[in-house]
Amino acid sequence: MAGMTATVGSPIRPLQWRGSVDGHLELLDQTRLPTEVVRLACRDVETLWEAIRNLRVRGAPAIGCAAAYGVVLAFQPASRGSAADWLEAVERGCNRLAESRPTAVNLFWALDRMRRKAQSIRGTAAREAGEALMAEAHAIRDEDAAMCRAIGRNGAELIRDGMGVLTHCNAGALATSEYGTALALMYAAHERGRRFKVFADETRPLLQGARLTAWELQQAGIDVTLICDSMAAQVMREGRVQLVVVGADRIAANGDAANKIGTYGLAVIAKAHNVPMYVAAPRTTFDLATPAGAAIPIEQRAGDEISHGFGRQTGPHGIACYNPAFDVTPAELLAGIVTEHGIIRPVNRDMVGKMLSDKD
Amino acid sequence: MAGMTATVGSPIRPLQWRGSVDGHLELLDQTRLPTEVVRLACRDVETLWEAIRNLRVRGAPAIGCAAAYGVVLAFQPASRGSAADWLEAVERGCNRLAESRPTAVNLFWALDRMRRKAQSIRGTAAREAGEALMAEAHAIRDEDAAMCRAIGRNGAELIRDGMGVLTHCNAGALATSEYGTALALMYAAHERGRRFKVFADETRPLLQGARLTAWELQQAGIDVTLICDSMAAQVMREGRVQLVVVGADRIAANGDAANKIGTYGLAVIAKAHNVPMYVAAPRTTFDLATPAGAAIPIEQRAGDEISHGFGRQTGPHGIACYNPAFDVTPAELLAGIVTEHGIIRPVNRDMVGKMLSDKD
């Protein structure tokens, strides 16, 4: 059960490039977790395309990093060709990878950056181009890791000795290049020797909390306890939780935060128990063109995620299901938003604008 | 998929005696729901013992009724014997059935009542005794059904045309002789021609909402939509719910109500959205010797209900789980408690005492 790259005590890495320009991308197959730890060697674009498509790698930052390395895989067959050959191979690879998850913003962002890099060195011999593309892919990964580390550093102060910390879904190492966003606070506090206990909501319907968060914290040697989503209120009432930290999929200009379904209810419950709730997210998660959470569309997903959970039919035949994938937590329910630049606190339009514009 | 005794439009019956004293008890096997509707003919005490033990029949009132009929099954082999023979058979049957679910209060209550009846007619010929025991078992069932009907009648006013009603777990026909407690309000409103929509929480970890509530409401032709527990807050925020109704396992003298885990969090969320929440329960659920909810012990159940839901491993190997089976909703979060005698509203010690003592 040992992780592919982690020893107990350090956060897992969901993806790693092995070797030099002619190497390959090793992915931890997240669809096999938590029962099996399977390493998948991606040696061509199609293998990676399938892995992204089928959620073997998931989490916006992790997908972006994987796609960047995918461009190096696309380059490889043309590594002895002409300058036109490698550029064409790279373009073809970018186009193919862009079809893997049609709505993944980080995927497009990473592919665009790799494409711009390729264009900027067009006409260069394949050998040099390969090195440049490899370096750009590593840079994308390293910047993501640095961003996660900065979030962890900025938020670690929130976790004090003896605390109980509750999280929902997976905003962890598995969703990024390493270290995560919400879980970055926990890894950073753990590295600083703080002793605390994490409660992980299982996060129905897709169980990212049970399958991924519980697993990666366990791998890192952090004290983690799995609960059902419906137990969070009781756990708080019993005084077992002093802090809630979650990730976000999109944050509006006023600080309203869209995240996995259940986050909003958790925020209401945390408020009722005077437990501060923080969102941890990089500035790329902020969408300043969206004034407030009401303008964020809520994705509706297929009902069989509820009625046929875990590969088994759990609801009656033909039952109607309502399956919103996300909800929006209003800024006023958040104690703060931890970013790589610092903590936005209190959460409102002015403070969000101030934190982000300071760093332009 | 048609229910064993229900046509679409009327609530399901989980148990029915077939024939006269020499007949048998037919149970709807609730472990097979919602995918299979299987009738189980109990023709002897052992078959019924196994059915109660393995939750084929569940819900305190339903278990009580089943056990009462079980005493008739115990009597049958002695129906041509002496007065001593049948009394001994009845006693043996009561003792055996009492071992089926060691903590089920209604089970003991029903068996004690049957035993008292048997003692009161000791020395009677078997033929007459059998009729008396049969009548007593039917009376237990009929009183339960009348109690459920009265709860439904008293609470039906709460459900108005166009409403969304949310419920948690299964306090339905399947848990009683028929009609249920929380769901009795819905059946009664449905019979009165009201049009409303029900949201059923799936109720992790054991999914009574998905497996049982969604199924029985669907069978009765009531508009029901299944959601995950974590979606209730979002559904309320979207204005889809105007009433929450749940059952209870035990109610303290001040109105604090213990019920399936998740009920308390739902109450906090309902309060935040100004959605009134009612408990529906018979007076036998009140435990006046318990002054307040803090004195109600919370059963802790095995962690594998969480980490190995639905026969599959959903959490990592060796993960710690915290699995409280119940929580306690404080009286101040309840808009009222619907009983067979009327609605306790507001919910406090005085009003609880008044409603119950009026009916002594």
Side-chain angles (χ1 to χ4, degrees):
Chain A
M1 284 295 296
M4 75 186 248
T5 60
T7 51
V8 166
S10 70
I12 207 84
R13 288 185 181 172
L15 52 92
Q16 280 195 294
W17 185 263
R18 297 295 187 188
S20 55
V21 183
D22 57 354
H24 68 276
L25 180 64
E26 194 174 88
L27 293 181
L28 183 60
D29 185 346
Q30 299 192 33
T31 64
R32 309 287 283 274
L33 294 175
T35 48
E36 293 172 286
V37 177
V38 176
R39 308 159 205 212
L40 179 67
C42 296
R43 299 180 190 278
D44 53 53
V45 169
E46 283 312 299
T47 306
L48 178 60
W49 184 92
E50 189 277 341
I52 297 174
R53 179 72 150 202
N54 293 320
L55 313 183
R56 301 186 198 286
V57 56
R58 32 70 58 195
I63 290 172
C65 294
Y69 285 123
V71 175
V72 179
L73 296 176
F75 164 87
Q76 286 171 345
S79 64
R80 290 168 192 213
S82 68
D85 288 343
W86 73 252
L87 190 62
E88 197 209 323
V90 162
E91 285 292 340
R92 216 170 35 234
C94 287
N95 292 341
R96 179 64 177 147
L97 288 167
E99 296 164 6
S100 58
R101 286 285 299 274
T103 57
V105 172
N106 285 56
L107 172 69
F108 303 136
W109 171 85
L111 292 173
D112 281 349
R113 182 161 156 184
M114 292 301 289
R115 198 183 262 126
R116 280 201 309 278
K117 169 55 73 179
Q119 288 294 343
S120 76
I121 55 168
R122 62 187 305 161
T124 312
R127 188 188 176 83
E128 286 164 56
E131 294 297 339
L133 293 169
M134 183 83 257
E136 191 72 1
H138 281 319
I140 287 174
R141 197 217 82 92
D142 291 347
E143 290 166 23
D144 183 71
M147 173 273 285
C148 291
R149 294 268 166 188
I151 288 176
R153 203 162 48 238
N154 291 336
E157 55 146 304
L158 299 172
I159 301 178
R160 291 184 296 276
D161 268 331
M163 264 191 175
V165 184
L166 191 147
T167 190
H168 189 73
C169 199
N170 179 259
L174 289 168
T176 60
S177 59
E178 63 178 74
Y179 220 65
T181 52
L183 300 198
L185 278 63
M186 302 175 199
Y187 291 127
H190 186 59
E191 285 167 7
R192 284 155 179 73
R194 292 206 196 115
R195 298 177 60 165
F196 55 97
K197 191 175 175 67
V198 179
F199 289 92
D201 278 355
E202 66 171 4
T203 317
R204 280 282 284 149
L206 297 183
L207 296 173
Q208 292 92 339
R211 293 188 296 111
L212 307 177
T213 296
W215 182 79
E216 68 165 89
L217 292 176
Q218 185 190 53
Q219 289 291 311
I222 292 177
D223 179 354
V224 55
T225 298
L226 183 61
I227 60 172
C228 294
D229 305 325
S230 61
M231 295 168 186
Q234 177 65 14
V235 169
M236 287 190 207
R237 190 169 167 86
E238 292 173 1
R240 297 176 191 269
V241 172
Q242 287 71 45
L243 177 70
V244 178
V245 191
V246 296
D249 286 82
R250 190 163 157 191
I251 304 176
N254 71 340
D256 291 353
N259 191 44
K260 185 64 59 204
I261 187 71
T263 304
Y264 165 60
L266 194 55
V268 171
I269 285 166
K271 188 79 163 186
H273 293 86
N274 293 313
V275 173
M277 174 155 160
Y278 285 80
V279 162
R283 66 177 302 167
T284 51
T285 304
F286 288 82
D287 176 6
L288 299 183
T290 299
I296 300 177
I298 301 294
E299 179 190 357
Q300 303 293 330
R301 294 179 59 89
D304 62 3
E305 289 184 354
I306 299 176
S307 62
H308 290 70
F310 321 92
R312 255 177 88 168
Q313 185 175 343
T314 57
H317 180 71
I319 189 72
C321 294
Y322 181 60
N323 186 15
F326 300 96
D327 56 29
V328 175
T329 299
E332 61 264 27
L333 293 180
L334 297 176
I337 302 177
V338 183
T339 76
E340 66 271 47
H341 305 302
I343 303 181
I344 299 171
R345 187 169 42 183
V347 183
N348 56 48
R349 189 177 313 273
D350 286 351
M351 294 300 281
V352 167
K354 193 166 180 324
M355 178 66 76
L356 299 190
S357 65
D358 278 1
K359 312 299 166 187
D360 271 344
Chain B
M1 284 297 295
M4 76 185 248
T5 60
T7 52
V8 167
S10 70
I12 207 83
R13 288 184 181 174
L15 54 92
Q16 280 196 293
W17 184 263
R18 298 294 187 187
S20 55
V21 183
D22 58 354
H24 68 276
L25 181 63
E26 194 174 88
L27 293 180
L28 183 59
D29 186 345
Q30 299 192 33
T31 64
R32 309 287 283 274
L33 295 175
T35 48
E36 293 172 287
V37 178
V38 175
R39 309 160 204 208
L40 177 68
C42 296
R43 299 180 190 278
D44 53 53
V45 168
E46 283 312 299
T47 306
L48 177 60
W49 185 92
E50 189 277 343
I52 297 174
R53 179 73 151 203
N54 293 319
L55 313 182
R56 300 186 198 287
V57 57
R58 34 67 61 194
I63 291 172
C65 295
Y69 285 124
V71 175
V72 180
L73 296 177
F75 164 87
Q76 287 173 343
S79 65
R80 291 170 192 214
S82 68
D85 288 342
W86 73 253
L87 190 62
E88 197 209 323
V90 161
E91 285 292 340
R92 215 169 36 231
C94 288
N95 292 340
R96 179 65 177 147
L97 288 167
E99 296 164 4
S100 58
R101 286 284 298 277
T103 58
V105 171
N106 285 56
L107 173 69
F108 302 134
W109 171 85
L111 291 173
D112 280 349
R113 183 162 156 184
M114 292 300 289
R115 199 182 263 125
R116 280 201 308 278
K117 169 54 73 176
Q119 288 295 343
S120 76
I121 55 169
R122 62 187 304 163
T124 314
R127 187 189 178 84
E128 286 165 56
E131 294 297 340
L133 292 169
M134 182 85 258
E136 190 73 0
H138 281 319
I140 288 174
R141 197 217 82 93
D142 291 348
E143 289 165 23
D144 183 71
M147 173 273 286
C148 291
R149 293 270 165 186
I151 289 176
R153 203 162 48 238
N154 291 336
E157 55 147 306
L158 299 173
I159 301 178
R160 290 183 296 276
D161 268 331
M163 264 192 176
V165 184
L166 191 147
T167 189
H168 189 74
C169 199
N170 179 259
L174 289 168
T176 59
S177 59
E178 63 178 74
Y179 222 64
T181 52
L183 301 197
L185 278 63
M186 302 176 198
Y187 291 127
H190 186 59
E191 285 166 7
R192 285 156 179 72
R194 295 211 192 110
R195 298 177 60 165
F196 55 97
K197 190 175 176 64
V198 178
F199 289 92
D201 278 354
E202 65 172 4
T203 317
R204 278 282 283 149
L206 296 182
L207 295 171
Q208 293 92 339
R211 293 189 295 110
L212 307 177
T213 296
W215 182 80
E216 69 165 90
L217 292 177
Q218 186 190 53
Q219 289 291 312
I222 292 176
D223 179 353
V224 57
T225 298
L226 183 61
I227 60 172
C228 294
D229 306 324
S230 61
M231 295 169 186
Q234 177 64 13
V235 169
M236 285 189 207
R237 190 169 168 86
E238 292 172 2
R240 297 176 191 269
V241 171
Q242 286 71 45
L243 177 70
V244 177
V245 191
V246 296
D249 286 82
R250 190 162 156 191
I251 303 176
N254 70 341
D256 291 352
N259 191 43
K260 186 64 58 203
I261 186 72
T263 304
Y264 165 61
L266 194 56
V268 171
I269 285 165
K271 188 78 163 188
H273 293 85
N274 292 313
V275 173
M277 174 156 161
Y278 285 79
V279 162
R283 65 177 303 166
T284 51
T285 304
F286 289 82
D287 176 6
L288 299 183
T290 299
I296 300 177
I298 302 293
E299 179 189 356
Q300 302 294 329
R301 293 179 59 89
D304 62 2
E305 288 183 354
I306 299 176
S307 62
H308 290 70
F310 321 95
R312 254 176 88 168
Q313 185 174 344
T314 57
H317 181 71
I319 189 72
C321 294
Y322 181 59
N323 186 15
F326 300 96
D327 57 29
V328 175
T329 299
E332 60 265 27
L333 293 180
L334 297 175
I337 302 177
V338 183
T339 75
E340 66 272 46
H341 305 301
I343 303 182
I344 299 171
R345 187 169 42 184
V347 183
N348 57 46
R349 189 176 313 271
D350 285 352
M351 295 300 282
V352 168
K354 193 166 179 326
M355 179 66 77
L356 300 190
S357 65
D358 278 3
K359 312 298 165 186
D360 272 343

